[in-house]
Amino acid sequence: MNDVAAACRAVLTAGEPREKVKAARQAWRALKAGRLDHHFGVAMPDAPARPDRPELLAPSHMPKRGRAGSERSRIAMLHALAHIEFSAIDLAFDCAGRFGADFPPEFTADWFSVGADEAMHFALLDRRLRALGSHYGALPAHDGLWEAAAATAHDVMARLAVVPMALEARGLDVTPATVARFEAAGDMRSAAILMRIYRDEIRHVGVGTRWFRDAAGSAGFEASGRWKWLIRTYFRGTIKPPFNDSARASAGLSRDFYAGLAEESVL
């Protein structure tokens, strides 16, 4: 592991959660210490390694989470979020390893940093699940995040538009209400973890938005118009309110990107 692509591939090919978290942290420390060459001599795998559990189901086949506010419901929510963060480790390092050769080293550094954050988020959530008598893998999950990555593996602007600027931005919209539900149930420890993740995710959406704007400018595109075209082309979901406009604005994702698409979705 002496170049950034090899470090990224090491993360992606680590299947067990502890191994993936360890590989992500090692990669980020090695980059910060100047031990990785900005070289891309190995290809990224078509799909990341995964543990035997959780069982991956289609979103429509996912079981109900139970009564809102119950411990069962809260464990199910934490498990779903842990799976999102686990997948996000791969998304960050795949973005760096797949597209980094076309960008300055700061692009790679940004996504290594994001990936290390996601590893920390996953570890926090898994630890919390264990404190509640569960663990990551105890419940089924779906692989929608990686499916979005696979669909955009050929185009960095599509990847940035769909993953950080649509899927992760949606997390900014819904997390404050989720935190409030945990607080109402008296689960202040889980609420604090989710707030830590929320603050970090604003930065992550900001990383995606900043590099999208940079790529759009280099290609001669108007950023918000190109984003809308890419979302219509590659995003399987809908861009719909309510929006956390202040968090999105903090990430550089202004309303001129998403408001028009939201209006289209309700027509």
Side-chain angles (χ1 to χ4, degrees), residues 17-39:
R18 288 185 181 179
E19 293 176 0
K20 195 176 292 290
V21 168
K22 181 180 179 181
R25 290 171 171 168
Q26 286 179 335
W28 175 226
R29 286 197 297 266
L31 187 73
K32 287 194 296 181
R35 297 196 302 268
L36 296 180
D37 295 332
H38 190 68
H39 181 68

Side-chain angles (χ1 to χ4, degrees), residues 14-71:
E16 292 304 312
R18 288 185 181 179
E19 293 176 0
K20 195 176 292 290
V21 168
K22 181 180 179 181
R25 290 171 171 168
Q26 286 179 335
W28 175 226
R29 286 197 297 266
L31 187 73
K32 287 194 296 181
R35 297 196 302 268
L36 296 180
D37 295 332
H38 190 68
H39 181 68
F40 297 84
V42 298
M44 297 304 102
D46 292 335
R50 287 284 185 261
D52 293 336
R53 290 285 185 271
E55 178 187 9
L56 297 179
L57 303 176
S60 59
H61 294 165
M62 289 291 292
K64 300 295 183 182
R65 289 178 180 157
R67 180 174 56 84
S70 67
E71 183 172 274

Side-chain angles (χ1 to χ4, degrees), residues 203-219:
R203 184 179 74 84
H204 299 175
V205 175
V207 168
T209 302
R210 183 171 70 254
W211 285 110
F212 181 87
R213 289 182 181 274
D214 182 84
S218 296

